[in-house]
Amino acid sequence: MPYEPILPSTTAPARYGDPILYPTAVQHPVMPLAELPPGVQLVTLPNGIRTLAYTPPAEPVPAPVQPIPAWAKTTALLAPTLGAGIAAAGFGIAYAAPGLIAMTDALWAAITLIAAGVLAPALLRTTRRAGQGTAPMQHITQNISATGLFGRATGTLNNH
């Protein structure tokens, strides 16, 4: 049924309560709020009339941004520094490897020389004792004397 507006009568005098001048409101069927489709709400307009309206969905409130902790900043700054230090050490060792090998050879030679200097007298003493048998040890006593600051020194040797 199409909508036809009700116009006031121009021939009849206007009276209070005249259905032509003041038509009664058409009562529409009321839909329960539980049956409203999604996105439709019952809203109150600024002039006080309540009606159904499409409403945009509420956007979720974004979570507040957390500041970055100090330990994370420190770690992020130290990571490339530590990596660069390890890389520099690797290059340094690669360039120093021939010199390090020569140094180890020199250190082994020095250790051998020290060992020979310590062990040689001990070996000589043991071989002399074994060659002499049970011969008594010889003691030598030397007496030196001098007179004055620039005097000539004289001495005697005593073999026992």
Side-chain angles (χ1 to χ4, degrees):
M1 171 179 200
Y3 175 76
E4 296 178 19
I6 300 174
L7 299 174
S9 165
T10 54
T11 57
R15 295 180 301 180
Y16 180 73
D18 187 358
I20 294 175
L21 291 178
Y22 301 101
T24 59
V26 178
Q27 295 293 329
H28 294 287
V30 178
M31 177 183 267
L33 293 177
E35 294 181 8
L36 291 176
V40 177
Q41 290 182 345
L42 184 64
V43 296
T44 304
L45 298 176
N47 61 3
I49 297 175
R50 297 183 70 185
T51 184
L52 295 175
Y54 287 104
T55 56
E59 295 182 13
V61 178
V65 178
Q66 297 288 334
I68 298 172
W71 65 265
K73 290 180 184 177
T74 305
T75 304
L77 291 173
L78 283 178
T81 306
L82 183 63
I86 291 172
F91 281 118
I93 290 173
Y95 283 117
L100 290 175
I101 292 171
M103 245 194 295
T104 56
D105 291 342
L107 285 174
W108 279 115
I111 291 171
T112 309
L113 184 64
I114 291 170
V118 170
L119 294 177
L123 289 174
L124 287 175
R125 268 190 242 136
T126 55
T127 55
R128 282 187 185 165
R129 285 184 191 160
Q132 291 177 356
T134 57
M137 274 182 105
Q138 185 178 16
H139 293 284
I140 300 173
T141 305
Q142 184 177 12
N143 297 322
I144 301 172
S145 62
T147 58
L149 184 60
F150 298 104
R152 186 173 176 165
T154 58
T156 59
L157 291 174
N158 297 325
N159 289 329
H160 299 285

